[in-house]
Amino acid sequence: MDVKDIFSYDWSYLLPEFIILGFATILSLLDLFAGKRLGRQVIGWLSLVGVVLAAVFVFVNVNVLDKPYSYMADMIRVDDYGNAFKLLFLGGTAFAILISLSYLKQGEVTHTGEYYYLMLTGLLGAMVMASSADLITLFVGLELLSLSSYVLVGLRKKSRHSNESAFKYVVSGGIATAVTLFGMSYVYGLTGTTHLYEISFRLAEAGMAGYQFLVYVAFAFLAVGLAFKISAAPNHMWAPDVYQGAPTPVTAFLAVVSKAAGFSLLFRVLLISFFHVNDGANRFFFQEGSLYLGLMAAASMVIGNMMALRQTNVKRMMAYSAIAQAGYLLVPFVPPTTLFFGEVIFYLFGYLLASFGAFAVIMVVAREQGTEELKGFAGLYHRSPLMAIAMSIFLLSLAGIPVTAGFFGKFYLFMGALAQETYWLAAIMIVTSVISYYYYFGIIRQMYMRPGPSEAPLAVPKGIWTFVFVLALLTVLFGAFPGLVTDYVQTHFNPSFDFGNMLPSDFQ
């Protein structure tokens, strides 16, 4: 392995991370010294500029890089896998900032400067997670995202629900962090390294040496700890309280960006470290680990959808829906194939469009009605037909109804399960998806078939109206032409997991 100093690397590939870090730092200083003179909206728009600029350089990396580029003994790896997830993170954060510009006008969040640059630091943590090839940098990125999220959830200081949800989030997050670190400690003890690609080989040697049980223990603790970040069973009960108590744009950020970051971490850690099957010694780990994740997926789908049936608060309902969505996203992992990457990226893309659109509508309705209960949607069609139609499209996409992006997202996952002959998991997908129709259509029933308290037109800010309209249009467009996304992913992203070319001896 060649030894490099800090000046020997081409740091241009990390420009997206540097841009987000730079904007977060500069905006914090601007807020400190000129916050009152700048106004609430300026920092928000500057944050959006930083996110868009970072996305531009991610696209540059996609077109320039033909193989992974490593930094600092391969602790950070810029590759197609990470770039694809970064685009999802950046898109989700941009959407969160756009709806925040309207939400913060209500005055519920007094510290608006902190709000925006905490969102940027959370985004930075997610980007580090996606590019990490070492347990240390993975954990640093995870904690940066987590700590930013804890504070964002509790920024409505005068809200009892916000204070309660932030406290629960910190406590449950601390426990999940401890469990994750405990699993990592076992991995390090068994392998003597924190590098994911070395771990994949040394775990096989540890298993052959008679330490199989400890390998299973490490896997179980890591899977349970990381389940917190994706709000999957058995570490999912924080989600309903946090989703309900957090500011609505933060709820959307957690539902999409934080969840996608958790999956990027889960896939890279488990797929590389535990599911490397090129060596026969790891094949047993592969089978047992896949079964465990299959049970986790099934539990998430069943618990999420069944509990959502009982909810009257729309944001709590969306929280349980997110738990079920995590279960669907785990299906391609049972067992993982070369197709899992494209399936998951398309699903997350469709989920991003539908979730942010739905939360934008929820935000507008809750502001006008003064409640986040299901009854607040009563008669929405008569007060704002376009908003009701857009909300219907988002809900149909989340339910997986044709012609929406969500339909093809679930279809690809379902066909992948059939191809792997995990028929029991495919059956659970179908049954739980049918169950989800009840609570999704419950909102639609309120909008079209229940009389509202008044027939006065719904006051919708022009920016939010445009945002919702565009997302609804894209949800239908990519539902009608899913190849626009899948073909682009197949053409521009090749997340190589060729372990023979990723050992430390081949570091750049």
Side-chain angles (χ1 to χ4, degrees), residues 400-412:
I401 302 292
V403 181
T404 61
F407 166 75
F408 279 101
K410 284 189 178 179
F411 176 76
Y412 292 146

Side-chain angles (χ1 to χ4, degrees), residues 3 32 138 258:
V3 178
L32 178 63
L138 278 169
S258 182

Side-chain angles (χ1 to χ4, degrees), residues 182-214:
F182 193 66
M184 289 183 178
S185 69
Y186 268 90
V187 171
Y188 181 74
L190 289 165
T191 62
T193 182
T194 56
H195 187 262
L196 297 182
Y197 296 93
E198 285 189 334
I199 289 171
S200 65
F201 288 90
R202 296 189 185 182
L203 277 181
E205 297 172 358
M208 295 178 66
Y211 297 104
Q212 278 193 359
F213 176 75
L214 293 180

Side-chain angles (χ1 to χ4, degrees), residues 285-308:
F285 304 155
F286 177 85
Q287 294 171 348
E288 296 296 320
S290 294
L291 177 60
Y292 182 86
L293 293 180
L295 295 174
M296 183 186 293
S300 299
M301 288 187 281
V302 172
I303 293 172
N305 284 304
M306 294 300 292
M307 292 300 295

